[in-house]
Amino acid sequence: MPAFAPFAVHPVVRESRETLEDREGHGAIETIKFVLQHEDGLETESVIIPMIRGDRVTTTLCVSSQVGCAMGCTFCETAQMGLMKSLTAEQIVMQWWVSTHRIGVRPKNIVFMGMGEPTDNLDAVLAAVEIFAGHDGAHVPATNITISTVGNPAGIARIGALVDRHGFHKLNLAVSLNAPNDAIRASIMPVNRAWSMAALRDAIVAFPKYGRGAMCIEYVLIPGVNDAPEHCDEVCAYLRGIRCSLNVIPYNPRRNSPWGAPTEASVLAFMARAIAQGQFTKRRGTKGRSQMAACGQLGNEEIRKRKFVGVSLPIQSEGSRAS
Ligand code: SF4
């Protein structure tokens, strides 16, 4: 495990909660978004997301790896900020510490799906993963940790090298595909001009397996962009032969978005068409939409306009170290 110096825990300057419908008798469950303010005035956002598994409710912590993001995906709120800075491993781990010890929710799972592209800050991300998984750290098994990437083949290979190490074989990778072909992908994800879908596919195929379950392929369904029947067919052809779950995510409109959310009928039709072609397909929920805490929505307008924002909760300060 990497050396881990004591650090001052950044204060929680905002926290918002969205209570979800109790459809399955689990009582009130809520999505919690919290904002940490750094010494330089910049802020990171993290989200605690409840997950219903049968008769149990578990929690997933969505952590940020950067403030803002340089990748420029056109559907993403965070992209509007540009990249303001990459986080240190300590600042990533701090999000888990605050969730566990300040908010009082010890997450079962950790996903790198908050602000930032993890492969754009891999030294810190991989060090944080080691701390998360370490017996002297957060002690979250690697099988409960997911790194989500925009699809950087070299980054995927580096994550694969960690997966090859004992104790990390079941670390999960999620890839944001979001398009059926290079032309559409390049139009909504500028990175596709540097890393083609063919290169991405090679990297996915080469990723170590170790008997793992299906890899997550994320697909944000954007009306009029990537949701046509022929798009579904292309995606299924692209994924054929890859053991993966196609996770369809109904688009959460960012502020000033040129696109709305897809209709329920179009989401169901896309999924049904993929399933009919033998593609294992799931729908990912959009918990937190009303508080801008859902996928691609982190990085609120206040943070974008100015580096330092007003404090709405009492500032807490404490010298401590992650446990
Ligand atoms: S979707 Fe992810 S990679 Fe793309 S701009 Fe947003 S945070 Fe960055």
Side-chain angles (χ1 to χ4, degrees):
M1 194 169 77
F4 196 33
F7 57 78
V9 176
H10 297 326
V12 178
V13 291
R14 284 190 303 286
E15 179 186 316
S16 60
R17 296 172 183 247
E18 180 186 0
T19 302
L20 305 173
E21 268 179 58
D22 176 19
R23 282 168 302 207
E24 298 166 50
H26 294 287
I29 55 176
E30 54 187 6
T31 299
I32 305 170
K33 179 163 85 168
F34 61 90
V35 177
L36 299 180
Q37 188 178 83
H38 299 203
E39 297 89 345
D40 56 12
L42 293 178
E43 298 176 343
T44 47
E45 298 188 329
S46 318
V47 189
I48 303 165
I49 305 165
M51 315 288 285
I52 298 174
R53 298 257 185 273
D55 58 356
R56 288 182 309 128
V57 179
T58 63
T59 49
T60 293
L61 174 65
C62 178
V63 295
S64 294
S65 56
Q66 297 178 311
V67 179
C69 184
M71 299 298 125
C73 303
T74 57
F75 51 84
C76 174
E77 178 80 14
T78 308
Q80 308 298 305
M81 300 171 65
L83 176 63
M84 303 182 88
K85 75 171 180 182
S86 289
L87 302 188
T88 62
E90 288 84 353
Q91 288 167 334
I92 296 171
V93 173
M94 193 182 297
Q95 297 167 65
W96 172 88
W97 194 94
V98 167
S99 173
T100 302
H101 298 292
R102 284 265 182 267
I103 311 285
V105 178
R106 189 181 187 103
K108 182 168 189 283
N109 309 297
I110 296 172
V111 296
F112 285 82
M113 294 185 183
M115 296 166 75
E117 162 56 27
T119 65
D120 198 29
N121 185 23
L122 257 187
D123 287 346
V125 165
L126 296 182
V129 167
E130 290 194 53
I131 294 163
F132 284 143
H135 294 290
D136 297 328
H139 206 172
V140 177
T143 190
N144 292 1
I145 301 173
T146 300
I147 300 177
S148 177
T149 174
V150 76
N152 171 351
I156 291 173
R158 268 194 75 192
I159 297 167
L162 177 62
V163 167
D164 276 330
R165 279 179 40 195
H166 180 67
F168 294 92
H169 292 344
K170 295 292 175 69
L171 179 68
N172 298 291
L173 179 72
V175 174
S176 294
L177 184 65
N178 302 330
N181 55 53
D182 281 316
I184 292 176
R185 195 162 191 266
S187 74
I188 56 174
M189 300 176 73
V191 294
N192 200 80
R193 294 169 207 155
W195 309 310
S196 70
M197 283 177 61
L200 172 57
R201 194 178 190 286
D202 289 345
I204 291 171
V205 169
F207 193 74
K209 308 290 183 293
Y210 292 107
R212 70 175 58 256
M215 180 183 289
C216 286
I217 302 293
E218 312 283 1
Y219 196 93
V220 178
L221 197 72
I222 308 174
V225 175
N226 62 3
D227 64 340
E230 59 271 25
H231 296 156
C232 182
D233 297 348
E234 278 185 273
V235 170
C236 291
Y238 178 81
L239 296 178
R240 204 154 288 138
I242 298 173
R243 183 150 187 255
C244 66
S245 167
L246 178 63
N247 287 1
V248 176
I249 307 164
Y251 174 57
N252 302 305
R254 60 169 170 81
R255 292 174 179 86
N256 306 317
S257 170
W259 312 291
T263 63
E264 182 65 13
S266 70
V267 175
L268 295 178
F270 192 93
M271 292 182 62
R273 193 172 180 98
I275 292 167
Q277 296 181 56
Q279 173 60 52
F280 183 74
T281 304
K282 289 195 300 193
R283 174 187 187 138
R284 206 171 91 195
T286 52
K287 299 181 183 77
R289 180 180 281 174
S290 71
Q291 57 176 170
M292 297 299 283
C295 179
Q297 291 188 319
L298 298 186
N300 67 42
E301 202 163 28
E302 247 184 317
I303 290 179
R304 278 170 23 208
K305 282 185 182 155
R306 47 189 175 144
K307 292 204 292 186
F308 187 86
V309 297
V311 175
S312 56
L313 287 177
I315 288 188
Q316 305 148 342
S317 76
E318 175 177 329
S320 184
R321 47 182 298 138
S323 56

